[in-house]
């Protein structure tokens, strides 16, 4: 499944390119909106997470929605097990989200002139966050793939589930941007990874329930 | 009911707890009932569990809405603003949004089986975020520091005497009334679905068919006569 996703992506190059373009435009807009004023570490973490959240709900639902629109979903149902379909899509979405997230956060800290005091924690939070975001959005896009107005609906139902997680992300990232302490951040980092693990653990089970015809 | 000592702008404002807290408790109970029936639906695939989950979710949405309304009224009288951006208000708003997304998801499907499965999965997936928002988030030290929402009224033994009796009585009444409403809603939905299956007539209370969806309609003479009798 993952090989198929990668082959389709390399053939069309539209998914990743669109996600990266969206991320770049978003951070440029955010950097311009601050009008050259310095942004605190806590606020910068919030801005980065909101941008990541919207990048995820805009770019990731495409993985399932396009299968239904192109009429290839039934072929997948015949050829692959639900678990392999979920894992293939989820890992591919994680790869797209990791590239998009690193680009988005990297460009934003450079443009807004924010000092990253701990690059290791910054990367750890970003990778864990992208993992959790892609797991949840993959499941939500599978839920709505056969619904009416599915393009908008995937984002609409995924956002309320992800906003509590953004709170953890902001709390975890603040430390790497010079605010707060490690003792205050590590429980949030742990929370992010637990959220990701929970999403990937129950995701295939739930997915099987909606993927069956 | 006597006035209580406390930092209230108006003493009678304390009595909002008789409605605010029972509504929050009732909403939480119905949310978990909905989650339980959603999980049961995924295991058994029976229509009855889907009906019960949807009805419980509607009840949870109503009670969470009432909790929000009473909270906003209190906020306006006590602190002079309808919306305080208090972390507790925000977390409850998110729970309300999750419940609303469930309703939105149900509306987006015209196929009952797909609607039931997707809604059940969504409800089951929302348990972890809702648990976090209701039970963990309000108790985080950084939230307790900035929140103006009282958080230790019951644990701190502040709810006592006539206030405790009145609170318990109102809570009991709300629970009895809400479970009666819940069972009525289940009966109505069960009858509605049975009517739809039995004679193909989408009569009372049926949702509109989605675009491009053709409802099964009986065409034989006997069926037409039956329909005319209705």
């Amino acid at each position: 499944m993952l090989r198929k996703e990668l082959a389709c992506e390399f053939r069309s190059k539209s998914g990743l390119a669109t996600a990266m373009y969206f991320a770049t435009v978003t951070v440029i807009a955010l950097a311009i909106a601050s009008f050259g004023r310095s942004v605190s570490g806590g606020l910068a973490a919030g801005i980065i997470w909101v941008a990541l959240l919207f990048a995820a709900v805009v770019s990731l639902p495409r993985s399932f929605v396009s299968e239904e629109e192109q009429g290839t979903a039934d072929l997948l149902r015949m050829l692959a097990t639900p678990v392999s379909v979920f894992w293939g899509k989820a890992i591919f979405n994680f790869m797209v989200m990791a590239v998009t997230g690193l680009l988005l956060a990297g460009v934003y800290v450079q443009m807004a002139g924010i000092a990253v005091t701990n690059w290791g924690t910054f990367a750890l939070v970003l990778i864990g966050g992208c993992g959790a975001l892609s797991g949840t959005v993959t499941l939500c896009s599978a839920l709505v793939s056969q619904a009416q107005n599915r393009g908008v609906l995937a984002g609409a139902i995924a956002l309320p589930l992800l906003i509590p997680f953004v709170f953890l992300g902001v709390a975890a990232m603040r430390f790497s941007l010079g605010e707060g302490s490690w003792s205050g951040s590590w429980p949030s980092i742990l929370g992010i990874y637990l959220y990701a693990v929970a999403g990937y653990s129950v995701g295939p089970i739930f997915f099987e329930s909606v993927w069956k015809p | 009911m006597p006035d209580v000592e406390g930092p209230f702008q108006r003493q009678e404002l304390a009595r909002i707890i008789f409605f605010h807290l029972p509504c929050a408790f009732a909403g939480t109970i119905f949310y978990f009932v909905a989650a339980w029936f959603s999980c049961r639906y995924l295991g058994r695939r029976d229509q009855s569990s889907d009906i019960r989950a949807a009805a419980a979710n509607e009840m949870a949405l109503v009670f969470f809405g009432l909790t929000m309304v009473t909270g906003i009224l209190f906020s306006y009288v006590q602190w002079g603003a309808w919306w305080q951006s208090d972390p507790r208000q925000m977390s409850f708003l998110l729970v309300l949004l999750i419940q609303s997304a469930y309703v939105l998801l149900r509306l987006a499907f015209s196929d009952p089986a797909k609607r039931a499965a997707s809604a059940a999965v969504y409800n089951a997936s929302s348990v972890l975020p809702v648990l976090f928002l209701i039970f963990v988030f309000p108790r985080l030290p950084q939230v307790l520091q900035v929140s103006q929402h009282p958080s230790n009224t019951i644990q701190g033994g502040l709810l006592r005497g006539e206030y405790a009796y009145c609170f318990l009585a109102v809570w009991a009444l709300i629970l009895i009334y809400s479970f009666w409403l819940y069972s009525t809603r289940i009966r109505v939905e069960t009858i509605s679905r049975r009517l739809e299956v039995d004679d193909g007539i989408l009569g009372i209370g049926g949702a509109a068919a989605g675009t491009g969806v053709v409802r099964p309609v009986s065409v034989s003479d006997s069926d037409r006569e039956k329909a005319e009798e209705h």
Side-chain angles (χ1 to χ4, degrees):
Chain A
M1 264 311 295
L2 183 59
R3 273 205 307 273
K4 174 249 172 209
E5 289 295 316
L6 289 170
C8 288
E9 183 54 42
F10 281 118
R11 200 176 298 149
S12 71
K13 298 179 187 66
S14 72
L16 186 61
T18 313
M20 287 169 71
Y21 176 77
F22 177 82
T24 312
V25 172
T26 306
V27 288
I28 289 170
L30 289 169
I32 289 170
S34 61
F35 293 109
R37 289 180 194 155
S38 61
V39 178
S40 69
L43 184 58
I47 289 171
I48 289 171
W49 272 100
V50 171
L52 279 174
L53 186 64
F54 281 94
V57 298
V58 165
S59 56
L60 303 188
R62 187 184 150 274
S63 58
F64 276 105
V65 171
S66 64
E67 299 284 2
E68 293 292 341
E69 285 173 353
Q70 291 167 9
T72 50
D74 287 335
L75 195 67
L76 279 184
R77 284 190 183 94
M78 285 191 289
L79 294 176
T81 61
V83 174
S84 59
V85 172
F86 179 83
W87 276 107
K89 298 275 184 191
I91 293 171
F92 175 74
N93 279 344
F94 170 64
M95 290 162 77
V96 170
M97 198 57 219
V99 172
T100 310
L102 289 171
L103 175 81
L104 186 152
V107 172
Y108 182 71
V109 293
Q110 291 304 316
M111 288 195 76
I114 294 154
V116 180
T117 53
N118 191 324
W119 279 101
T121 311
F122 188 71
L124 196 68
V125 173
L126 264 182
I127 297 295
C130 290
L133 284 173
S134 53
T136 307
V137 179
T138 303
L139 182 62
C140 285
S141 55
L143 290 185
V144 303
S145 62
Q146 295 175 68
Q148 298 153 26
N149 62 2
R150 49 193 162 227
V152 184
L153 193 63
I157 66 163
L159 277 173
L161 294 181
L162 289 169
I163 293 173
F165 161 75
V166 167
F167 171 81
L168 290 175
V170 173
M173 194 177 268
R174 281 173 61 213
F175 169 67
S176 63
L177 299 178
E179 269 191 25
S181 60
W182 171 249
S183 60
S185 285
W186 77 260
S188 303
I189 298 174
L190 185 67
I192 288 173
Y193 278 87
L194 286 177
Y195 198 100
V197 168
Y200 285 112
S201 306
V202 298
I205 301 164
F206 286 157
F207 176 71
E208 204 170 347
S209 306
V210 288
W211 185 245
K212 286 176 195 166
Chain B
M1 191 63 58
D3 288 340
V4 287
E5 287 180 18
F8 298 108
Q9 298 289 348
R10 295 162 69 167
Q11 291 302 315
E12 59 267 34
L13 205 56
R15 290 169 206 151
I16 204 157
I17 198 172
F18 299 145
F19 303 101
H20 182 68
L21 211 50
C23 283
F25 286 173
T28 308
I29 290 170
F30 276 111
Y31 171 75
F32 285 110
V33 169
W36 161 252
F37 279 115
S38 292
C39 292
R40 205 173 82 159
Y41 175 83
L42 293 175
R44 295 183 185 179
R45 298 280 171 165
D46 58 332
Q47 208 181 47
S48 152
S49 296
D50 177 50
I51 292 171
R52 280 169 169 72
N57 195 76
E58 284 173 15
M59 296 301 296
L61 192 60
V62 167
F63 281 108
F64 283 145
L66 286 171
T67 310
M68 185 59 87
V69 169
T70 49
I72 286 172
L73 283 173
F74 181 86
S75 168
Y76 182 69
V77 182
Q78 177 72 12
W79 299 305
W82 295 107
W83 193 256
Q84 281 283 97
S85 292
D86 189 279
R88 291 290 289 267
Q89 268 185 326
M90 296 302 285
S91 69
F92 221 77
L93 181 65
L94 283 175
V95 174
L96 207 57
L97 285 176
I98 290 174
Q99 299 295 107
S100 309
Y102 174 88
V103 176
L104 212 61
L105 191 61
R106 289 193 77 89
L107 291 174
F109 284 91
S110 46
D111 181 344
K114 284 175 185 165
R115 176 174 57 214
S118 295
V121 167
Y122 187 74
N123 220 10
S125 316
S126 71
V127 170
L128 194 62
V130 169
L131 280 174
F132 175 78
L133 287 167
I134 294 180
F135 297 107
V136 180
F137 182 77
R139 286 162 185 81
L140 292 175
Q142 56 266 51
V143 171
L144 287 173
Q145 278 170 11
V146 294
S147 178
Q148 290 182 307
H149 189 284
S151 55
N152 63 342
T153 311
I154 294 177
Q155 297 96 316
L158 299 172
L159 191 67
R160 55 179 180 265
E162 290 101 330
Y163 270 76
Y165 296 132
C166 190
F167 166 76
L168 288 172
V170 175
W171 189 23
L173 278 175
I174 284 178
L175 276 183
I176 292 166
Y177 182 62
S178 61
F179 272 97
W180 175 77
L181 274 179
Y182 173 59
S183 58
T184 308
R185 183 72 187 92
I186 290 168
R187 280 204 300 275
V188 168
E189 186 59 28
T190 308
I191 292 166
S192 169
R193 289 195 193 188
R194 203 170 291 158
L195 273 174
E196 195 175 341
V197 170
D198 281 354
D199 54 19
I201 296 167
L202 187 72
I204 321 147
T211 314
V213 174
V214 180
R215 295 264 184 205
V217 178
S218 309
V219 289
S220 68
D221 291 342
S222 59
D223 283 339
R224 195 183 304 133
E225 282 167 17
K226 213 165 129 188
E228 281 165 0
E229 280 171 18
H230 280 280

